[in-house]
Amino acid sequence: MSDHHHHDHDHDHDHDHTPITVDEMPSYFDLMETAVRELLVERKFFRADEIRRQIEVLDSRTPALGAKVVARAWTDPAFKSRLLENGRTGCEELGITFYDDTQLIVLENTPEVHNLIVCTLCSCYPRPVLGLPPDWYKLKPYRARAVYEPRSVLEEFGTSIPDDVEIRVSDSTAIIRYLVLPMRPDGTEHLNETQLADLVTRDAMIGVIQVAYNREAV
Amino acid sequence: MEGSLLAKLEKISGVVPAEGEVPVFDEGDMVVIATRSPIGHYRMPTYLRGKIGKVEAIMPQMAMDNEEEGYGRNAGSKGHYYRVAIPMTEIWSDYIGSANDGLRIEIFENWLEKPSDV
């Protein structure tokens, strides 16, 4: 905590807002995290700047990376086959590094198979290529229901999968992560790789939706 | 793809593989997931214990038994993870959906048994 003097919010703004303050007491887990972190730093297991650096690494990972991988797979069949053979080395080809020692399986959606990913035990997620998972991915309703009633879960995301299409749910555990390779939508033949990447969203790479292309909106 | 490792190991005579290096299960093998319930954090989800599945692939990268290692015990040699396919109807008797719907999960070797063992 700093012992600098406090001052009111009286500097020159041309807008009003309430001062940004944190009034809530830290929770049990906030305190535990701070205590464990300070102890580990004090015992020199790692340095404070290493934690900061790792947060920077995590913040640099967003679904835009995954979208790039998908768009490349849609436009380059040789890349796609290497990616399906080994997801991690495929992503590494595009400069996406894997800092966490996980492997990656890329699951291809086809007219016959729709893939959905979940981690029933916690929140395993392909963070190197997608960044942090959405909150719903980490919460128990999704984790429990994705493996028990995937079709209902998909309906709630607005995704209707015909009965003759197989639903394949992959449950992430210790060392393997998954990325869904969605189907390229019809009518996108004229789009280039960058334009295609813009169509690909996080949710499509988790498998809760399909990639849509609305010709009129583009 | 990893079935080829098995073939390779068998082909070269005189090469002695390390403990655990030759996968116990092959692609297409039926497996039963063990039903043991050790106390602590284990990466084998409870809802799948005792279920029957089929080995779809052998994971190319061998890994340590992180459940042992996680408790500070020496996990010894690395072992194989298998990608196992389990029909949803095998997991849930009241499953609503297509009979083709299925689950996939990577399971460490020491959680898998041959069906005849049961």
Side-chain angles (χ1 to χ4, degrees):
Chain A
M1 282 290 145
S2 102
D3 52 10
H4 292 295
H5 71 279
H6 292 274
H7 62 82
D8 292 328
H9 193 77
D10 58 357
H11 49 281
D12 281 334
H13 275 318
D14 55 6
H15 62 270
D16 285 330
H17 64 77
T18 47
I20 298 164
T21 57
V22 179
D23 298 325
E24 280 172 44
M25 292 295 290
S27 71
Y28 173 82
F29 289 107
D30 290 334
L31 290 172
M32 185 157 77
E33 183 275 324
T34 307
V36 171
R37 172 165 43 83
E38 288 182 352
L39 273 172
L40 291 170
V41 170
E42 197 177 295
R43 297 288 173 90
K44 298 189 168 29
F45 283 97
F46 43 70
R47 303 184 312 269
D49 70 297
E50 289 178 275
I51 299 173
R52 187 208 57 76
R53 171 64 189 234
Q54 188 57 25
I55 292 170
E56 201 169 59
V57 171
L58 294 172
D59 282 348
S60 76
R61 308 311 172 100
T62 73
L65 296 175
K68 238 180 222 178
V69 175
V70 169
R72 176 65 59 87
W74 282 348
T75 52
D76 180 345
F79 173 75
K80 178 175 149 185
S81 75
R82 292 195 299 276
L83 182 73
L84 294 176
E85 181 71 26
N86 185 327
R88 176 169 168 162
T89 54
C91 290
E92 284 169 345
E93 272 185 49
L94 302 189
I96 302 165
T97 58
F98 279 60
Y99 52 81
D100 60 1
D101 281 337
T102 52
Q103 295 298 322
L104 184 75
I105 294 179
V106 176
L107 305 162
E108 184 185 17
N109 280 350
T110 67
E112 289 81 37
V113 177
H114 181 86
N115 287 283
L116 179 67
I117 69 176
V118 65
C119 170
T120 57
L121 293 175
C122 52
S123 56
C124 295
Y125 191 72
R127 292 175 188 225
V129 269
L130 291 188
L132 296 177
D135 284 345
W136 54 260
Y137 184 88
K138 299 186 276 187
L139 296 175
K140 283 185 179 163
Y142 177 76
R143 287 159 49 199
R145 296 180 59 226
V147 295
Y148 173 60
E149 42 181 10
R151 288 178 183 270
S152 303
V153 171
L154 288 167
E155 289 285 350
E156 287 165 31
F157 280 96
T159 305
S160 187
I161 302 295
D163 271 350
D164 59 347
V165 174
E166 178 185 338
I167 303 265
R168 224 174 257 177
V169 182
S170 290
D171 189 356
S172 322
T173 55
I175 56 164
I176 313 272
R177 301 291 176 268
Y178 312 107
L179 183 78
V180 175
L181 174 58
M183 283 193 287
R184 179 173 174 166
D186 291 337
T188 56
E189 295 73 17
H190 62 292
L191 299 185
N192 65 30
E193 201 177 314
T194 312
Q195 291 167 321
L196 287 168
D198 287 342
L199 303 177
V200 182
T201 62
R202 177 195 69 197
D203 291 357
M205 293 179 279
I206 298 174
V208 292
I209 59 166
Q210 293 170 309
V211 175
Y213 176 58
N214 182 350
R215 196 188 298 257
E216 278 151 30
V218 176
Chain B
M1 75 195 151
E2 193 61 15
S4 61
L5 168 71
L6 202 59
K8 232 183 280 170
L9 285 167
E10 281 164 0
K11 213 179 285 169
I12 307 165
S13 62
V15 173
V16 180
E19 179 128 16
E21 204 170 7
V22 179
V24 173
F25 303 100
D26 208 348
E27 282 171 29
D29 284 356
M30 299 304 290
V31 286
V32 179
I33 299 164
T35 48
R36 61 180 183 269
S37 303
I39 293 167
H41 181 77
Y42 285 82
R43 300 299 299 179
M44 184 60 241
T46 311
Y47 75 98
L48 293 174
R49 295 184 197 176
K51 305 299 181 192
I52 296 174
K54 189 193 250 185
V55 173
E56 194 174 76
I58 304 169
M59 295 294 99
Q61 301 79 18
M62 288 177 71
M64 71 166 60
D65 180 354
N66 57 17
E67 297 179 338
E68 285 300 303
E69 202 65 40
Y71 284 100
R73 299 187 285 261
N74 180 357
S77 310
K78 287 184 173 180
H80 289 92
Y81 272 90
Y82 300 83
R83 183 162 174 81
V84 176
I86 309 159
M88 284 294 188
T89 50
E90 157 72 12
I91 307 170
W92 318 107
S93 55
D94 59 347
Y95 180 73
I96 296 168
S98 161
N100 290 329
D101 292 355
L103 189 105
R104 300 292 184 277
I105 187 167
E106 284 70 36
I107 302 177
F108 198 64
E109 198 160 88
N110 61 9
W111 275 100
L112 296 177
E113 296 163 358
K114 292 180 176 148
S116 55
D117 296 345
V118 176

